[in-house]
Amino acid sequence: MALIEQTLQTTHPSRKLQIRLFNKHESNQVVVIAGAMGVPQTCYEKFALWLNEQGMSAITFDYYGMGASVDRPLKEIDTNMLQWGEYDCDAIIRFVRANYPGQKFYWVGHSVGGQLLGMTPSTNMIDKAITMARGSGYWRHNSPETKRFVWALWYGIAPLAVSIKGYFPGDRLNMVGDLPANAMRQWWRWCKNKDYAVGYEGQWLRDRFASVTTPITSISFSDDEMMSARNIENLHSFFTRSDRKMIRINPKDIGEKRIGHLSWFRDKFRSSLWDAQILPQLMS
């Protein structure tokens, strides 16, 4: 395995991404790991190395304005979630097709990393997508643990914090992580709409979701403290032309006490989840 860190230029002239390539010699499969909101790509390193052990190459990246893809003070970064799909994910997909010719191309999207498939022009260049804990963010459908406080986040804490700091100081607030202002503004607007992004943005985005034909396997967890089963079903329903397979896992059924929204990529789940649940989807 050769780990290469490099900068990837998107089609936007002032927008570059930091990516990490976990290249496996003579692989015939490449897997992009698209992370969750506020989760840096380094958190997925052990999962990427496990993919190498299975004979696959892997790629991680940070959306512009997150993690290593921050090139100026965060309050000066003008980006939103739609642009993460339009520029960032699109650049990654085209990079894979140009640099890994003939290889089977999988996308493992965690939370927002799966949502962005409906916002990315080149999604149909992916052979198969596996979404992890991906659902809509509509707050009234959130799991009880999140629903108890998230209304205060969307209607008070987030707008106030962004207006004061010029970005969302999630690290200091112990919520999500630091995010560019416009990404956070867009997210809270979507989360207040029952049809999430497609409900707020309108028919053009609903049509883009419906244009995706890449097969999708959804893996979600019954103890997800953020996404309820209703969130999960709602978001996947917008992909009307994709073959969809829904897998709902109760941690107890695979010998685990807890998985939640943000833990599946930890190597403690190597045997129970990666080997037993994710690998069969990658090999199918």
Side-chain angles (χ1 to χ4, degrees), residues 178-213:
D178 290 350
L179 295 170
N182 284 338
M184 192 62 179
R185 289 188 183 105
Q186 197 168 60
W187 193 26
W188 81 53
R189 290 166 184 156
W190 292 354
C191 287
K192 291 188 281 186
N193 190 290
K194 67 179 181 64
D195 280 338
Y196 193 54
V198 302
Y200 184 86
E201 300 297 334
Q203 191 61 43
W204 75 269
L205 188 57
R206 191 179 295 273
D207 290 343
R208 178 167 285 185
F209 271 76
S211 72
V212 173
T213 57

Side-chain angles (χ1 to χ4, degrees), residues 125-146:
M125 296 172 69
I126 300 169
D127 291 312
K128 183 178 181 179
I130 298 171
T131 64
M132 306 296 299
R134 174 184 80 166
S136 82
Y138 180 48
W139 76 273
R140 290 183 183 275
H141 294 168
N142 283 150
S143 295
E145 298 96 316
T146 294

Side-chain angles (χ1 to χ4, degrees), residues 28-47:
N28 56 22
Q29 290 175 272
V30 57
V31 181
V32 167
I33 306 165
M37 182 85 75
V39 179
Q41 63 177 313
T42 51
C43 290
Y44 300 95
E45 179 173 329
K46 290 182 178 179
F47 182 69

Side-chain angles (χ1 to χ4, degrees), residues 167-185:
Y167 67 95
F168 182 68
D171 285 341
R172 180 173 295 183
L173 296 172
N174 196 28
M175 294 180 177
V176 185
D178 290 350
L179 295 170
N182 284 338
M184 192 62 179
R185 289 188 183 105

Side-chain angles (χ1 to χ4, degrees), residues 61-77:
F61 68 103
D62 287 314
Y63 310 111
Y64 185 60
M66 272 182 44
S69 297
V70 174
D71 57 2
R72 66 196 72 182
L74 202 56
K75 64 182 179 181
E76 297 178 13
I77 292 181

Side-chain angles (χ1 to χ4, degrees), residues 83-109:
Q83 290 172 338
W84 286 347
E86 191 77 24
Y87 296 116
D88 301 3
C89 295
D90 189 69
I92 293 291
I93 291 170
R94 295 185 184 280
F95 174 85
V96 170
R97 282 306 186 196
N99 291 275
Y100 298 81
Q103 295 200 32
K104 192 88 169 182
F105 177 12
Y106 288 89
W107 184 277
V108 175

Side-chain angles (χ1 to χ4, degrees), residues 82 86 115-124 195 197-214 235 237-242:
L82 285 175
E86 191 77 24
Q115 295 175 16
L116 292 171
L117 291 170
M119 308 172 200
T120 302
S122 54
T123 293
N124 288 337
D195 280 338
V198 302
Y200 184 86
E201 300 297 334
Q203 191 61 43
W204 75 269
L205 188 57
R206 191 179 295 273
D207 290 343
R208 178 167 285 185
F209 271 76
S211 72
V212 173
T213 57
T214 299
L235 195 286
S237 72
F238 302 135
F239 293 88
T240 56
R241 295 180 61 200
S242 294

